[in-house]
Amino acid sequence: MSIHNIYIFDRMGTLLYYMDWNRQKNSGMSKEEEAKLMYGMLFSIKSFVAKISPHDPKRGFLCYKTNKYALHYYESLTGIKFVLNTNTSVKNVRDLLQQLYKDIYVEYVVKNTECEMGQPIVSELFKVKLDQFIKQQVKTLQ
Amino acid sequence: MSAEDVLFDMLHAEIVSYMVSKESETEDEDLSVLEHLGYSCGWRLIERITKELSRYKEELEILKFICTDFWSCVYKKQVDNLRTNHQGVYVLQDNEFRFFSKLSNGTQYLKAAPKYATFTCGLIRGALENFGIASIVTVEINTMPSCKFHINVQQSS
């Protein structure tokens, strides 16, 4: 399995964090612009999914897939959004994202009082732990 | 980590940021207020956790007690290393100091680090004071999350 990249947005749509592992193709625009575009699309999909759903949507938008990659979406109750791009064959990414939120984001961002809420994350420790976490997941799921 | 530990961590962090504001020009004064908070906490806490212990006599034994029982009561772990020159100077080293463990594992935030250790300095000083040992406690931070507390016992002559 391979994990391409991750975006973390807060409730207001601010890009809190971006990291990539193996991304071969660039979008040809700045990170900020790309993040805005990404957030806009997610926002649209979310409301589209909620409107078009024949039943109560409950968990709403979960993921989409192309023939090259899959985008997985996880939103916490507080509105923190995790977006993970992987190859198409990866399973149980929802659990992975939930664990990432619980063990990495809450531990090293929320509990780090030097990190200001709603601002991009600059903590080195968070970066290291996130990288470790993803690499470990890649290893165990292979 | 249980919910009450998190509550203590959060409350401590809020007290620190309330006491020591970022643009403050009186940082030394702010820190001394924070240290005094720790002092009275330590003083009271030692009263509570020693109520069933026999009286200690040696200074070193008291310091050992601080490193083991007292530290595990507050931080759920023991001090990793205790050193002394046998002339009233003690160095307590905690390799995984609780208030730093979520902050950094290097030198990032090093400038902000001392304010998170000040309360603990007071805590140690207050505890020792209640054992009848007057001291000055300072902190040395090189690489987080490790932290060294220097205790300088004032000789009562």
Side-chain angles (χ1 to χ4, degrees), chain B residues 41-66:
Chain B
C41 275
W43 203 89
R44 282 158 207 275
L45 200 60
I46 212 75
E47 207 71 73
R48 201 188 120 75
I49 55 181
T50 55
K51 62 183 175 189
E52 274 153 28
L53 285 169
S54 60
R55 179 84 186 140
Y56 283 83
K57 290 192 178 65
E58 288 287 312
E59 197 175 272
L60 188 63
E61 274 182 71
I62 293 169
L63 260 301
K64 276 183 190 159
F65 172 79
I66 297 280

PDB file of all heavy atoms in Angstrom, chain B residues 41-66:
ATOM      1  N   CYS B  41       1.595  24.716  47.179  1.00  0.00           N
ATOM      2  CA  CYS B  41       1.068  23.393  46.828  1.00  0.00           C
ATOM      3  C   CYS B  41       1.958  22.298  47.408  1.00  0.00           C
ATOM      4  O   CYS B  41       1.465  21.351  48.022  1.00  0.00           O
ATOM      5  CB  CYS B  41       1.030  23.211  45.311  1.00  0.00           C
ATOM      6  SG  CYS B  41      -0.426  23.873  44.559  1.00  0.00           S
ATOM      7  N   GLY B  42       3.251  22.423  47.200  1.00  0.00           N
ATOM      8  CA  GLY B  42       4.214  21.431  47.690  1.00  0.00           C
ATOM      9  C   GLY B  42       4.179  21.325  49.192  1.00  0.00           C
ATOM     10  O   GLY B  42       4.212  20.219  49.757  1.00  0.00           O
ATOM     11  N   TRP B  43       4.100  22.473  49.826  1.00  0.00           N
ATOM     12  CA  TRP B  43       4.088  22.516  51.285  1.00  0.00           C
ATOM     13  C   TRP B  43       2.889  21.742  51.841  1.00  0.00           C
ATOM     14  O   TRP B  43       3.001  20.947  52.762  1.00  0.00           O
ATOM     15  CB  TRP B  43       4.012  23.984  51.732  1.00  0.00           C
ATOM     16  CG  TRP B  43       4.512  24.231  53.111  1.00  0.00           C
ATOM     17  CD1 TRP B  43       5.795  24.511  53.468  1.00  0.00           C
ATOM     18  CD2 TRP B  43       3.742  24.244  54.309  1.00  0.00           C
ATOM     19  NE1 TRP B  43       5.877  24.690  54.808  1.00  0.00           N
ATOM     20  CE2 TRP B  43       4.631  24.538  55.372  1.00  0.00           C
ATOM     21  CE3 TRP B  43       2.388  24.027  54.609  1.00  0.00           C
ATOM     22  CZ2 TRP B  43       4.214  24.621  56.699  1.00  0.00           C
ATOM     23  CZ3 TRP B  43       1.975  24.113  55.931  1.00  0.00           C
ATOM     24  CH2 TRP B  43       2.881  24.408  56.961  1.00  0.00           C
ATOM     25  N   ARG B  44       1.730  21.963  51.236  1.00  0.00           N
ATOM     26  CA  ARG B  44       0.515  21.291  51.700  1.00  0.00           C
ATOM     27  C   ARG B  44       0.505  19.817  51.321  1.00  0.00           C
ATOM     28  O   ARG B  44       0.073  18.960  52.099  1.00  0.00           O
ATOM     29  CB  ARG B  44      -0.719  21.962  51.089  1.00  0.00           C
ATOM     30  CG  ARG B  44      -1.083  23.246  51.759  1.00  0.00           C
ATOM     31  CD  ARG B  44      -1.919  24.113  50.843  1.00  0.00           C
ATOM     32  NE  ARG B  44      -1.750  25.510  51.186  1.00  0.00           N
ATOM     33  CZ  ARG B  44      -2.443  26.109  52.135  1.00  0.00           C
ATOM     34  NH1 ARG B  44      -3.353  25.447  52.833  1.00  0.00           N
ATOM     35  NH2 ARG B  44      -2.231  27.378  52.418  1.00  0.00           N
ATOM     36  N   LEU B  45       0.979  19.559  50.101  1.00  0.00           N
ATOM     37  CA  LEU B  45       0.944  18.195  49.578  1.00  0.00           C
ATOM     38  C   LEU B  45       1.777  17.259  50.442  1.00  0.00           C
ATOM     39  O   LEU B  45       1.381  16.135  50.729  1.00  0.00           O
ATOM     40  CB  LEU B  45       1.464  18.211  48.140  1.00  0.00           C
ATOM     41  CG  LEU B  45       1.092  17.038  47.261  1.00  0.00           C
ATOM     42  CD1 LEU B  45      -0.415  16.927  47.136  1.00  0.00           C
ATOM     43  CD2 LEU B  45       1.697  17.220  45.874  1.00  0.00           C
ATOM     44  N   ILE B  46       2.934  17.737  50.876  1.00  0.00           N
ATOM     45  CA  ILE B  46       3.842  16.894  51.650  1.00  0.00           C
ATOM     46  C   ILE B  46       3.201  16.544  53.001  1.00  0.00           C
ATOM     47  O   ILE B  46       3.392  15.456  53.526  1.00  0.00           O
ATOM     48  CB  ILE B  46       5.223  17.573  51.822  1.00  0.00           C
ATOM     49  CG1 ILE B  46       6.331  16.526  51.876  1.00  0.00           C
ATOM     50  CG2 ILE B  46       5.292  18.450  53.052  1.00  0.00           C
ATOM     51  CD1 ILE B  46       6.654  15.937  50.553  1.00  0.00           C
ATOM     52  N   GLU B  47       2.405  17.462  53.506  1.00  0.00           N
ATOM     53  CA  GLU B  47       1.670  17.209  54.754  1.00  0.00           C
ATOM     54  C   GLU B  47       0.752  16.001  54.586  1.00  0.00           C
ATOM     55  O   GLU B  47       0.618  15.170  55.472  1.00  0.00           O
ATOM     56  CB  GLU B  47       0.836  18.454  55.075  1.00  0.00           C
ATOM     57  CG  GLU B  47       0.533  18.672  56.526  1.00  0.00           C
ATOM     58  CD  GLU B  47       1.772  19.101  57.302  1.00  0.00           C
ATOM     59  OE1 GLU B  47       2.222  20.264  57.156  1.00  0.00           O
ATOM     60  OE2 GLU B  47       2.274  18.258  58.047  1.00  0.00           O
ATOM     61  N   ARG B  48       0.149  15.935  53.429  1.00  0.00           N
ATOM     62  CA  ARG B  48      -0.833  14.898  53.175  1.00  0.00           C
ATOM     63  C   ARG B  48      -0.201  13.540  52.910  1.00  0.00           C
ATOM     64  O   ARG B  48      -0.644  12.529  53.436  1.00  0.00           O
ATOM     65  CB  ARG B  48      -1.689  15.287  51.972  1.00  0.00           C
ATOM     66  CG  ARG B  48      -3.001  14.573  51.926  1.00  0.00           C
ATOM     67  CD  ARG B  48      -3.706  14.842  50.627  1.00  0.00           C
ATOM     68  NE  ARG B  48      -3.927  13.604  49.908  1.00  0.00           N
ATOM     69  CZ  ARG B  48      -4.853  12.702  50.230  1.00  0.00           C
ATOM     70  NH1 ARG B  48      -5.628  12.907  51.261  1.00  0.00           N
ATOM     71  NH2 ARG B  48      -4.996  11.603  49.539  1.00  0.00           N
ATOM     72  N   ILE B  49       0.857  13.524  52.093  1.00  0.00           N
ATOM     73  CA  ILE B  49       1.391  12.208  51.717  1.00  0.00           C
ATOM     74  C   ILE B  49       2.388  11.640  52.720  1.00  0.00           C
ATOM     75  O   ILE B  49       2.806  10.506  52.580  1.00  0.00           O
ATOM     76  CB  ILE B  49       1.999  12.185  50.286  1.00  0.00           C
ATOM     77  CG1 ILE B  49       3.054  13.257  50.118  1.00  0.00           C
ATOM     78  CG2 ILE B  49       0.935  12.287  49.235  1.00  0.00           C
ATOM     79  CD1 ILE B  49       3.655  13.280  48.735  1.00  0.00           C
ATOM     80  N   THR B  50       2.758  12.397  53.731  1.00  0.00           N
ATOM     81  CA  THR B  50       3.675  11.829  54.716  1.00  0.00           C
ATOM     82  C   THR B  50       2.969  11.440  56.000  1.00  0.00           C
ATOM     83  O   THR B  50       3.613  11.022  56.950  1.00  0.00           O
ATOM     84  CB  THR B  50       4.789  12.821  55.097  1.00  0.00           C
ATOM     85  OG1 THR B  50       4.175  14.025  55.528  1.00  0.00           O
ATOM     86  CG2 THR B  50       5.734  13.071  53.954  1.00  0.00           C
ATOM     87  N   LYS B  51       1.671  11.551  56.028  1.00  0.00           N
ATOM     88  CA  LYS B  51       0.984  11.371  57.310  1.00  0.00           C
ATOM     89  C   LYS B  51       1.157   9.973  57.903  1.00  0.00           C
ATOM     90  O   LYS B  51       1.037   9.800  59.095  1.00  0.00           O
ATOM     91  CB  LYS B  51      -0.503  11.741  57.186  1.00  0.00           C
ATOM     92  CG  LYS B  51      -1.283  10.898  56.226  1.00  0.00           C
ATOM     93  CD  LYS B  51      -2.717  11.393  56.113  1.00  0.00           C
ATOM     94  CE  LYS B  51      -3.429  10.591  55.057  1.00  0.00           C
ATOM     95  NZ  LYS B  51      -4.743  11.154  54.738  1.00  0.00           N
ATOM     96  N   GLU B  52       1.467   8.998  57.054  1.00  0.00           N
ATOM     97  CA  GLU B  52       1.631   7.656  57.587  1.00  0.00           C
ATOM     98  C   GLU B  52       3.086   7.200  57.610  1.00  0.00           C
ATOM     99  O   GLU B  52       3.372   6.030  57.827  1.00  0.00           O
ATOM    100  CB  GLU B  52       0.786   6.671  56.767  1.00  0.00           C
ATOM    101  CG  GLU B  52      -0.635   6.593  57.282  1.00  0.00           C
ATOM    102  CD  GLU B  52      -1.623   6.192  56.220  1.00  0.00           C
ATOM    103  OE1 GLU B  52      -1.231   5.483  55.275  1.00  0.00           O
ATOM    104  OE2 GLU B  52      -2.791   6.601  56.338  1.00  0.00           O
ATOM    105  N   LEU B  53       3.987   8.106  57.374  1.00  0.00           N
ATOM    106  CA  LEU B  53       5.394   7.733  57.346  1.00  0.00           C
ATOM    107  C   LEU B  53       6.072   8.051  58.665  1.00  0.00           C
ATOM    108  O   LEU B  53       5.676   8.982  59.373  1.00  0.00           O
ATOM    109  CB  LEU B  53       6.107   8.493  56.228  1.00  0.00           C
ATOM    110  CG  LEU B  53       5.860   8.018  54.803  1.00  0.00           C
ATOM    111  CD1 LEU B  53       6.417   9.027  53.827  1.00  0.00           C
ATOM    112  CD2 LEU B  53       6.485   6.657  54.579  1.00  0.00           C
ATOM    113  N   SER B  54       7.116   7.252  58.943  1.00  0.00           N
ATOM    114  CA  SER B  54       7.897   7.574  60.128  1.00  0.00           C
ATOM    115  C   SER B  54       8.792   8.765  59.817  1.00  0.00           C
ATOM    116  O   SER B  54       9.066   9.076  58.667  1.00  0.00           O
ATOM    117  CB  SER B  54       8.742   6.370  60.536  1.00  0.00           C
ATOM    118  OG  SER B  54       9.615   6.042  59.488  1.00  0.00           O
ATOM    119  N   ARG B  55       9.275   9.407  60.839  1.00  0.00           N
ATOM    120  CA  ARG B  55      10.043  10.628  60.663  1.00  0.00           C
ATOM    121  C   ARG B  55      11.387  10.359  59.972  1.00  0.00           C
ATOM    122  O   ARG B  55      12.138   9.483  60.369  1.00  0.00           O
ATOM    123  CB  ARG B  55      10.272  11.251  62.042  1.00  0.00           C
ATOM    124  CG  ARG B  55      11.074  12.513  62.044  1.00  0.00           C
ATOM    125  CD  ARG B  55      10.221  13.722  61.759  1.00  0.00           C
ATOM    126  NE  ARG B  55      11.065  14.909  61.641  1.00  0.00           N
ATOM    127  CZ  ARG B  55      10.882  15.852  60.750  1.00  0.00           C
ATOM    128  NH1 ARG B  55       9.890  15.760  59.892  1.00  0.00           N
ATOM    129  NH2 ARG B  55      11.665  16.893  60.714  1.00  0.00           N
ATOM    130  N   TYR B  56      11.660  11.087  58.934  1.00  0.00           N
ATOM    131  CA  TYR B  56      12.951  10.980  58.269  1.00  0.00           C
ATOM    132  C   TYR B  56      13.974  11.829  59.016  1.00  0.00           C
ATOM    133  O   TYR B  56      13.643  12.856  59.564  1.00  0.00           O
ATOM    134  CB  TYR B  56      12.857  11.493  56.839  1.00  0.00           C
ATOM    135  CG  TYR B  56      12.215  10.535  55.888  1.00  0.00           C
ATOM    136  CD1 TYR B  56      10.835  10.454  55.786  1.00  0.00           C
ATOM    137  CD2 TYR B  56      12.985   9.697  55.097  1.00  0.00           C
ATOM    138  CE1 TYR B  56      10.234   9.575  54.909  1.00  0.00           C
ATOM    139  CE2 TYR B  56      12.390   8.819  54.218  1.00  0.00           C
ATOM    140  CZ  TYR B  56      11.022   8.752  54.133  1.00  0.00           C
ATOM    141  OH  TYR B  56      10.446   7.884  53.264  1.00  0.00           O
ATOM    142  N   LYS B  57      15.199  11.365  58.947  1.00  0.00           N
ATOM    143  CA  LYS B  57      16.221  12.138  59.631  1.00  0.00           C
ATOM    144  C   LYS B  57      17.236  12.718  58.656  1.00  0.00           C
ATOM    145  O   LYS B  57      17.536  13.890  58.663  1.00  0.00           O
ATOM    146  CB  LYS B  57      16.921  11.287  60.675  1.00  0.00           C
ATOM    147  CG  LYS B  57      16.005  10.965  61.854  1.00  0.00           C
ATOM    148  CD  LYS B  57      16.753  10.375  63.013  1.00  0.00           C
ATOM    149  CE  LYS B  57      15.840  10.118  64.193  1.00  0.00           C
ATOM    150  NZ  LYS B  57      14.810   9.082  63.906  1.00  0.00           N
ATOM    151  N   GLU B  58      17.740  11.830  57.812  1.00  0.00           N
ATOM    152  CA  GLU B  58      18.797  12.275  56.910  1.00  0.00           C
ATOM    153  C   GLU B  58      18.252  13.143  55.776  1.00  0.00           C
ATOM    154  O   GLU B  58      17.184  12.877  55.235  1.00  0.00           O
ATOM    155  CB  GLU B  58      19.481  11.041  56.296  1.00  0.00           C
ATOM    156  CG  GLU B  58      20.341  10.268  57.247  1.00  0.00           C
ATOM    157  CD  GLU B  58      21.626  11.006  57.570  1.00  0.00           C
ATOM    158  OE1 GLU B  58      22.270  11.462  56.605  1.00  0.00           O
ATOM    159  OE2 GLU B  58      21.956  11.123  58.755  1.00  0.00           O
ATOM    160  N   GLU B  59      19.052  14.139  55.414  1.00  0.00           N
ATOM    161  CA  GLU B  59      18.691  15.007  54.292  1.00  0.00           C
ATOM    162  C   GLU B  59      18.575  14.209  52.995  1.00  0.00           C
ATOM    163  O   GLU B  59      17.637  14.378  52.225  1.00  0.00           O
ATOM    164  CB  GLU B  59      19.768  16.087  54.154  1.00  0.00           C
ATOM    165  CG  GLU B  59      19.372  17.275  53.326  1.00  0.00           C
ATOM    166  CD  GLU B  59      20.476  18.335  53.353  1.00  0.00           C
ATOM    167  OE1 GLU B  59      20.439  19.163  54.263  1.00  0.00           O
ATOM    168  OE2 GLU B  59      21.351  18.301  52.474  1.00  0.00           O
ATOM    169  N   LEU B  60      19.535  13.288  52.808  1.00  0.00           N
ATOM    170  CA  LEU B  60      19.543  12.483  51.587  1.00  0.00           C
ATOM    171  C   LEU B  60      18.300  11.605  51.477  1.00  0.00           C
ATOM    172  O   LEU B  60      17.732  11.433  50.403  1.00  0.00           O
ATOM    173  CB  LEU B  60      20.816  11.627  51.540  1.00  0.00           C
ATOM    174  CG  LEU B  60      21.059  10.871  50.235  1.00  0.00           C
ATOM    175  CD1 LEU B  60      21.244  11.822  49.070  1.00  0.00           C
ATOM    176  CD2 LEU B  60      22.274   9.960  50.367  1.00  0.00           C
ATOM    177  N   GLU B  61      17.883  11.074  52.640  1.00  0.00           N
ATOM    178  CA  GLU B  61      16.684  10.223  52.641  1.00  0.00           C
ATOM    179  C   GLU B  61      15.455  11.021  52.232  1.00  0.00           C
ATOM    180  O   GLU B  61      14.586  10.512  51.526  1.00  0.00           O
ATOM    181  CB  GLU B  61      16.467   9.630  54.035  1.00  0.00           C
ATOM    182  CG  GLU B  61      17.237   8.354  54.283  1.00  0.00           C
ATOM    183  CD  GLU B  61      16.936   7.805  55.657  1.00  0.00           C
ATOM    184  OE1 GLU B  61      15.806   7.312  55.852  1.00  0.00           O
ATOM    185  OE2 GLU B  61      17.804   7.904  56.540  1.00  0.00           O
ATOM    186  N   ILE B  62      15.401  12.244  52.699  1.00  0.00           N
ATOM    187  CA  ILE B  62      14.279  13.110  52.336  1.00  0.00           C
ATOM    188  C   ILE B  62      14.288  13.396  50.842  1.00  0.00           C
ATOM    189  O   ILE B  62      13.257  13.333  50.169  1.00  0.00           O
ATOM    190  CB  ILE B  62      14.336  14.425  53.156  1.00  0.00           C
ATOM    191  CG1 ILE B  62      14.075  14.120  54.623  1.00  0.00           C
ATOM    192  CG2 ILE B  62      13.308  15.428  52.630  1.00  0.00           C
ATOM    193  CD1 ILE B  62      14.355  15.264  55.559  1.00  0.00           C
ATOM    194  N   LEU B  63      15.457  13.661  50.312  1.00  0.00           N
ATOM    195  CA  LEU B  63      15.575  13.903  48.875  1.00  0.00           C
ATOM    196  C   LEU B  63      15.160  12.675  48.073  1.00  0.00           C
ATOM    197  O   LEU B  63      14.509  12.784  47.036  1.00  0.00           O
ATOM    198  CB  LEU B  63      17.016  14.298  48.513  1.00  0.00           C
ATOM    199  CG  LEU B  63      17.314  15.780  48.317  1.00  0.00           C
ATOM    200  CD1 LEU B  63      16.440  16.354  47.196  1.00  0.00           C
ATOM    201  CD2 LEU B  63      17.088  16.612  49.565  1.00  0.00           C
ATOM    202  N   LYS B  64      15.537  11.486  48.606  1.00  0.00           N
ATOM    203  CA  LYS B  64      15.146  10.240  47.939  1.00  0.00           C
ATOM    204  C   LYS B  64      13.628  10.082  47.949  1.00  0.00           C
ATOM    205  O   LYS B  64      13.036   9.626  46.977  1.00  0.00           O
ATOM    206  CB  LYS B  64      15.805   9.036  48.615  1.00  0.00           C
ATOM    207  CG  LYS B  64      17.212   8.777  48.122  1.00  0.00           C
ATOM    208  CD  LYS B  64      17.761   7.536  48.791  1.00  0.00           C
ATOM    209  CE  LYS B  64      19.247   7.390  48.516  1.00  0.00           C
ATOM    210  NZ  LYS B  64      19.892   6.525  49.525  1.00  0.00           N
ATOM    211  N   PHE B  65      13.052  10.472  49.066  1.00  0.00           N
ATOM    212  CA  PHE B  65      11.595  10.408  49.185  1.00  0.00           C
ATOM    213  C   PHE B  65      10.929  11.310  48.137  1.00  0.00           C
ATOM    214  O   PHE B  65       9.952  10.933  47.484  1.00  0.00           O
ATOM    215  CB  PHE B  65      11.173  10.835  50.601  1.00  0.00           C
ATOM    216  CG  PHE B  65       9.691  10.985  50.761  1.00  0.00           C
ATOM    217  CD1 PHE B  65       8.881   9.876  50.923  1.00  0.00           C
ATOM    218  CD2 PHE B  65       9.101  12.247  50.733  1.00  0.00           C
ATOM    219  CE1 PHE B  65       7.508  10.017  51.058  1.00  0.00           C
ATOM    220  CE2 PHE B  65       7.733  12.391  50.860  1.00  0.00           C
ATOM    221  CZ  PHE B  65       6.935  11.277  51.020  1.00  0.00           C
ATOM    222  N   ILE B  66      11.512  12.508  47.947  1.00  0.00           N
ATOM    223  CA  ILE B  66      10.996  13.446  46.932  1.00  0.00           C
ATOM    224  C   ILE B  66      11.054  12.803  45.531  1.00  0.00           C
ATOM    225  O   ILE B  66      10.112  12.891  44.754  1.00  0.00           O
ATOM    226  CB  ILE B  66      11.827  14.761  46.924  1.00  0.00           C
ATOM    227  CG1 ILE B  66      11.719  15.491  48.261  1.00  0.00           C
ATOM    228  CG2 ILE B  66      11.435  15.671  45.753  1.00  0.00           C
ATOM    229  CD1 ILE B  66      10.488  16.301  48.483  1.00  0.00           C
TER     230      ILE B  66
END
